[in-house]
C-alpha cells in the first residue's frame, strides 16, 4: 500500500521538481554576465512562469478548485476510487489571461494528449486560443532524457533497447528487426501561450495533423511474454489467431507533422534549455519563440497499460478487407457488450498501410473486461454473427438485406448504420461491407481454441499431459479438452508456504486443483489433505478437489470463474 501511495505522488513530484529546476536554471541565466539582455529578459519571463507553476502546485487557499485537490488527484492516479474524478495524467499549463485571474493546469488522457497537446497544436479554453509552444522539461539530467526502441515492421511489436537488450528478431513473430528508432522523448506535461480570441469565423476546432503510430508489447513473467494465444478454427483448419494480454504496454508515437516535406525526417526540434518547440515550417502564421542554441530533434511518445487483443488472419488480406473488418468488429463488440464508443479502441498494425493485424484495446479506465471473453467459448463467433447483422446481412445465412431496418436507402458499401463513424473518417474510402461478408460468415461458425500461455492450445495440453503425475490426472485434463473448458496454466507447482504440491494451478484465477485417487481415501491422508486445503485457502487461493468417486463435470459447473462454461 505504501509503495502504491508513493507511486501515486510521483506525478505531482515530477511537476514540482520540473518547475523548481526551471526556476533555478533561469535564475542562473539572469545573473550570468555573459548572456545578452534578450536572453536575460527571456529568462525572467520563464522564471515568472516557473514561480506561477510552483504557486499553483502549492496552492492551499483554493484547494477544492484545483486539479491537485487531494481526492481528485489521488483518484486520477488510481490510488482512490475514481467516482467523479476521471484519470487525467497529462497536463498543460495555461497562464492567466489577465491580472486577477488564476493560472491553470488542463489535463487530458495520455493517448488523447499525444495529439491534442502535440507540438505547436492549438487548444481552446475560456474563450481564447492557446498554442502548445513548449514542454515542462523533466528533472534528472542536464540533457533531455531520450529512449530507443525497435518496432517490428511486420506486426508492430515493441522492443525497447537498454544496456542489456538489443534484439535482432521480433519476440512475437520472429521477423528481422530494422534500425532502431532513436531520440524518443516521453511527453509528460506541456506549456501554452495565448494567441488570440476565438472568433465567429472559426466554427470548427482546428487540429494539427500528425503522423502517429502505435506499438504494443505484452508483459513478461518468468522471462517469457505473458499473453494467451488462441486459434480461430473452421473444420479443424486455422484461419486466424488471437493474442490477448492483460495490462499490455501500448506506445503512441508522434513521428511529426503529417504534411512535412521530408517524410524520412521524424520528430520535432526542441529547445532543451528553455523547453520550446520550434515553429511549424509548414504554417507561415506560426510565430517562433525565442530559442536558445541548445536545440535537439526528439520524437514525442506516451505509454499506458491496457487490456489488449491482437487479431491476425492466417493469410494476408487486402486493405479494404482489413479496414472493414476492423470497423465491423469494433461496432459489434460495443453492441454485444453494451459499451460506449470511448470504452473500446481499434487500430491497424504495423501501420495504416500495410495492415496485417488488428489491435483492439479497452480504452476506458480500469478496462471493461470484455476482450478476455473473446478467446473463450463461442463469444468470438457470437460477436461475428452480430457484425453480420450490423452490416445488413442475415446472421445465419449471410444473405444480403441491403440496408438497416429503418433506413430508406440501400447501403452499397458502407453507411453510418454499419461501418462508418466519425472516429474512422480516414478509413471511409476503404470501407466495404460486402468484402467481409464471407469472412464474417466463416468467423461466425468458427471454434476458438485457447491456451493460458503464449503457445497453441494443443502444445500446452501436451505439456500438461506429460507433467501429470498419474493417469487419473490425465483423464481429468482430457475431460477439460473434450468440453472446451479452460486448461490449467501450470502442473505440479510447489507452494512452499503450505508445503504442498497441487496437481494443477490456474494462475489467473488463483486456483489450485487436486485430483485425488484411491490413496486419498485413507483417514490419515484425508486429514493431511484437509490441512493443506485450509492452509491454501487462508493464503487466498481457491481450492478445488476432484475425488475419483465423484462426478467431475458437476464440480466444474460450480466454478465457472475457474474453468469457464461447458459448451
Amino acid at each position: 500500500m505504501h509503495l502504491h501511495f508513493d507511486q501515486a505522488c510521483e506525478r505531482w513530484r515530477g511537476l514540482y521538481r520540473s518547475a523548481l529546476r526551471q526556476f533555478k536554471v533561469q535564475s542562473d541565466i539572469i545573473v550570468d554576465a555573459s548572456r545578452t539582455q534578450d536572453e536575460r529578459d527571456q529568462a525572467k519571463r520563464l522564471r515568472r512562469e516557473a514561480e506561477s507553476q510552483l504557486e499553483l502546485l502549492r496552492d492551499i487557499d483554493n484547494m477544492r478548485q484545483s486539479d491537485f485537490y487531494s481526492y481528485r488527484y489521488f483518484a486520477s492516479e488510481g490510488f482512490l476510487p475514481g467516482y467523479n474524478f476521471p484519470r487525467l495524467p497529462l497536463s498543460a499549463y495555461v497562464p492567466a489571461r489577465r491580472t486577477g485571474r488564476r493560472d491553470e493546469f488542463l489535463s487530458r488522457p495520455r493517448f488523447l494528449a499525444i495529439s491534442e497537446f502535440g507540438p505547436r497544436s492549438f487548444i481552446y479554453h475560456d474563450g481564447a486560443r492557446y498554442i502548445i509552444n513548449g514542454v515542462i522539461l523533466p528533472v534528472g539530467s542536464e540533457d533531455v532524457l531520450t529512449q530507443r526502441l525497435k518496432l517490428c515492421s511486420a506486426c508492430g511489436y515493441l522492443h525497447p533497447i537498454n544496456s542489456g537488450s538489443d534484439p535482432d528478431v521480433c519476440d512475437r513473430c520472429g521477423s528481422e528487426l530494422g534500425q532502431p528508432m532513436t531520440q524518443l522523448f516521453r511527453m509528460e506535461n506541456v506549456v501554452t501561450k495565448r494567441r488570440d480570441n476565438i472568433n465567429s469565423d472559426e466554427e470548427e476546432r482546428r487540429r494539427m495533423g500528425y503522423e502517429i503510430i502505435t506499438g504494443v508489447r505484452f508483459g513478461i513473467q518468468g522471462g517469457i511474454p505473458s499473453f494467451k494465444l488462441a486459434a480461430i478454427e473452421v473444420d479443424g483448419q486455422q484461419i486466424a489467431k488471437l493474442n490477448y494480454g492483460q495490462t499490455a504496454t501500448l506506445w503512441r508515437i508522434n513521428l511529426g507533422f503529417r504534411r512535412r516535406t521530408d517524410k524520412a525526417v521524424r520528430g520535432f526540434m526542441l529547445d532543451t534549455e528553455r523547453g520550446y518547440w520550434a515553429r511549424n515550417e509548414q504554417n507561415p502564421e506560426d510565430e517562433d519563440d525565442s530559442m536558445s542554441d541548445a536545440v535537439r530533434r526528439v520524437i514525442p511518445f506516451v505509454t499506458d497499460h491496457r487490456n489488449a487483443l491482437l487479431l491476425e488472419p492466417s493469410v494476408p488480406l487486402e486493405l479494404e478487407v482489413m479496414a472493414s473488418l476492423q470497423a465491423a468488429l469494433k461496432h459489434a463488440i460495443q453492441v454485444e457488450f453494451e459499451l460506449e464508443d470511448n470504452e473500446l479502441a481499434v487500430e491497424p498494425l504495423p501501420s495504416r498501410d500495410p495492415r496485417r493485424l488488428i489491435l483492439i484495446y479497452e480504452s476506458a479506465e480500469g478496462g471493461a473486461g470484455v476482450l478476455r471473453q473473446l478467446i473463450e467459448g463461442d463469444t468470438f463467433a457470437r460477436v461475428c454473427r452480430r457484425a453480420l447483422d450490423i452490416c445488413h446481412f442475415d446472421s445465419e445465412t449471410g444473405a444480403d438485406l441491403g440496408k438497416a431496418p429503418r433506413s430508406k436507402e440501400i447501403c452499397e458499401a458502407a453507411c453510418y448504420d454499419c461501418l462508418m463513424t466519425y472516429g474512422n473518417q480516414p478509413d471511409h474510402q476503404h470501407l466495404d461491407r460486402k468484402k467481409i461478408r464471407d469472412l464474417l460468415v466463416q468467423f461466425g461458425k468458427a471454434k476458438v481454441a485457447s491456451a493460458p500461455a503464449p503457445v497453441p492450445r494443443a502444445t500446452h495440453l501436451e505439456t500438461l499431459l506429460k507433467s501429470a503425475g498419474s493417469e487419473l490426472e490425465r483423464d481429468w485434463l482430457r475431460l477439460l479438452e473434450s468440453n472446451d473448458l479452460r486448461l490449467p496454466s501450470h502442473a505440479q507447482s510447489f507452494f512452499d508456504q503450505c508445503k504442498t504440491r497441487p496437481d494443477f494451478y490456474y494462475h489467473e484465477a488463483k486456483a489450485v486443483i487436486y485430483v485425488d485417487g484411491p490413496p486419498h481415501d485413507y483417514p490419515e491422508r484425508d486429514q493431511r489433505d484437509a490441512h493443506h486445503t485450509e492452509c491454501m485457502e487462508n493464503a487466498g487461493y481457491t481450492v478445488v478437489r476432484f475425488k475419483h468417486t465423484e462426478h467431475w463435470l458437476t464440480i466444474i459447473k460450480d466454478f465457472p470463474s475457474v474453468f469457464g462454461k461447458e459448451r
Side-chain angles (χ1 to χ4, degrees), residues 55 85 94 105 152 199 321 428-429 435 489 523:
E55 290 174 4
F85 304 123
V94 180
F105 273 105
C152 179
N199 56 55
V321 175
H428 281 189
Q429 61 182 322
K435 289 193 173 184
S489 54

Side-chain angles (χ1 to χ4, degrees), residues 332-540:
I333 293 171
Q334 290 172 182
V335 172
E336 187 69 23
F337 293 100
E338 300 181 354
L339 302 179
E340 297 292 335
D341 185 66
N342 61 358
E343 293 185 87
L344 196 71
V346 293
E347 295 191 37
L349 292 180
S351 63
R352 298 186 64 82
D353 190 14
R355 305 184 185 209
R356 297 190 178 95
L357 297 89
I358 296 174
L359 167 66
I360 310 173
Y361 61 92
E362 297 174 4
S363 50
E365 295 301 331
V370 302
L371 295 182
R372 171 187 169 180
Q373 300 179 48
L374 294 181
I375 63 170
E376 297 176 349
D378 65 345
T379 306
F380 181 79
R382 193 171 70 248
V383 165
C384 291
R385 290 193 293 271
R386 174 75 70 174
L388 279 168
D389 183 59
I390 290 171
C391 292
H392 321 313
F393 298 110
D394 185 278
S395 60
E396 297 298 328
T397 66
D400 192 349
L401 304 178
K403 60 184 179 64
R406 297 182 181 180
S407 177
K408 296 180 180 180
E409 298 180 354
I410 296 295
C411 175
E412 292 295 338
C415 66
Y416 279 92
D417 286 318
C418 58
L419 301 180
M420 299 169 66
T421 67
Y422 175 79
N424 67 6
Q425 284 184 344
D427 280 346
H428 281 189
Q429 61 182 322
H430 305 305
L431 300 180
D432 189 340
R433 65 184 183 88
K434 296 177 182 178
K435 289 193 173 184
I436 58 173
R437 186 192 73 91
D438 293 343
L439 185 60
L440 289 177
V441 169
Q442 270 194 310
F443 283 164
K445 300 177 181 178
K447 170 188 173 183
V448 175
S450 63
V455 295
R457 182 180 176 95
T459 303
H460 185 66
L461 176 62
E462 187 64 28
T463 301
L464 293 174
L465 289 169
K466 290 180 179 178
S467 302
S470 68
E471 190 61 32
L472 191 67
E473 293 171 20
R474 284 187 277 273
D475 288 340
W476 182 83
L477 288 170
R478 295 185 186 107
L479 177 70
L480 297 182
E481 177 64 12
S482 64
N483 287 275
D484 290 326
L485 296 166
R486 295 175 193 159
L487 295 176
S489 54
H490 301 81
Q492 307 300 322
S493 297
F494 184 72
F495 291 80
D496 187 63
Q497 69 268 41
C498 294
K499 306 300 180 185
T500 181
R501 189 185 300 275
D503 299 312
F504 302 104
Y505 176 53
Y506 285 83
H507 174 74
E508 193 169 308
K510 206 175 181 183
V512 294
I513 310 301
Y514 295 90
V515 182
D516 296 337
H520 292 262
D521 294 339
Y522 292 102
E524 62 275 11
R525 187 65 178 269
D526 184 64
Q527 184 177 1
R528 188 172 66 180
D529 289 345
H531 170 72
H532 287 155
T533 297
E534 182 181 5
C535 180
M536 292 297 287
E537 287 178 342
N538 289 338

Side-chain angles (χ1 to χ4, degrees), residues 46-308:
L46 291 172
R47 187 175 70 172
R48 286 196 300 270
E49 186 177 277
E51 288 174 338
S52 181
Q53 292 174 19
L54 289 170
E55 290 174 4
L56 190 59
L57 289 164
R58 296 181 300 208
D59 187 9
I60 59 174
D61 295 329
N62 298 283
M63 183 182 299
R64 289 182 181 273
Q65 282 72 46
S66 170
D67 265 346
F68 300 101
Y69 174 50
S70 298
Y71 287 105
R72 178 178 289 108
Y73 175 79
F74 285 113
S76 74
E77 294 302 303
F79 183 74
L80 295 177
Y83 300 118
N84 293 324
F85 304 123
R87 190 176 184 214
L88 304 172
L90 261 67
S91 302
Y93 170 70
V94 180
R97 295 175 57 190
R98 59 179 70 93
T99 305
R101 298 293 295 272
R102 287 170 46 83
D103 297 338
E104 295 183 68
F105 273 105
L106 300 181
S107 298
R108 295 291 184 272
R110 300 177 193 182
F111 285 179
L112 177 61
I114 189 65
S115 57
E116 187 166 335
F117 290 170
R120 314 303 296 186
S121 67
F122 293 101
I123 61 174
Y124 297 85
H125 177 66
D126 199 18
R129 184 171 71 158
Y130 296 84
I131 187 172
I132 305 294
N133 68 325
V135 297
I136 299 176
L137 295 173
V139 178
S141 175
E142 294 299 320
D143 195 7
V144 173
L145 295 174
T146 58
Q147 301 183 32
R148 299 188 303 151
L149 65 80
K150 290 183 178 180
L151 189 65
C152 179
S153 60
C155 69
Y157 201 70
L158 287 165
H159 304 80
I161 298 174
N162 51 50
S163 57
S165 173
D166 187 2
D168 295 320
V169 296
C170 177
D171 291 342
R172 181 188 172 277
C173 69
S175 299
E176 184 176 350
L177 297 175
Q179 293 298 313
M181 192 179 297
T182 60
Q183 307 301 326
L184 290 161
F185 172 70
R186 185 186 295 274
M187 196 174 81
E188 294 180 347
N189 301 286
V190 301
V191 294
T192 68
K193 178 176 70 174
R194 186 183 171 193
R195 288 294 296 268
D196 48 41
N197 291 327
I198 301 174
N199 56 55
S200 59
D201 295 331
E202 196 167 19
E203 295 181 357
E204 293 188 5
R205 179 173 180 161
R206 185 175 124 197
R207 286 182 178 271
M208 192 71 66
Y210 298 107
E211 182 186 355
I212 297 176
I213 60 172
T214 301
V216 61
R217 183 171 183 83
F218 296 115
I220 302 293
Q221 290 185 354
I224 60 174
S226 177
F227 65 87
K228 295 181 178 181
L229 178 64
I232 302 174
E233 300 175 347
V234 175
D235 298 328
Q237 183 72 29
Q238 179 175 312
I239 59 174
K241 65 180 179 181
L242 300 169
N243 297 147
Y244 171 74
Q246 286 187 321
T247 61
T249 301
L250 271 62
W251 287 46
R252 298 265 291 167
I253 305 170
N254 191 335
L255 297 180
F257 295 114
R258 189 178 298 141
R259 297 181 180 179
R260 64 188 185 276
T261 304
D262 189 352
K263 293 291 186 180
V265 178
R266 295 176 168 178
F268 308 84
M269 299 303 294
L270 175 67
D271 185 333
T272 58
E273 181 179 286
R274 298 174 180 173
Y276 290 138
W277 292 115
R279 66 184 295 269
N280 178 9
E281 299 293 342
Q282 307 301 315
N283 182 8
E285 299 179 1
D286 193 1
E287 300 173 1
D288 204 353
D289 290 286
S290 179
M291 306 279 285
S292 73
D293 294 331
V295 179
R296 179 178 176 185
R297 183 172 292 278
V298 298
I299 303 175
F301 76 94
V302 293
T303 66
D304 211 341
H305 299 284
R306 293 284 186 265
N307 297 336

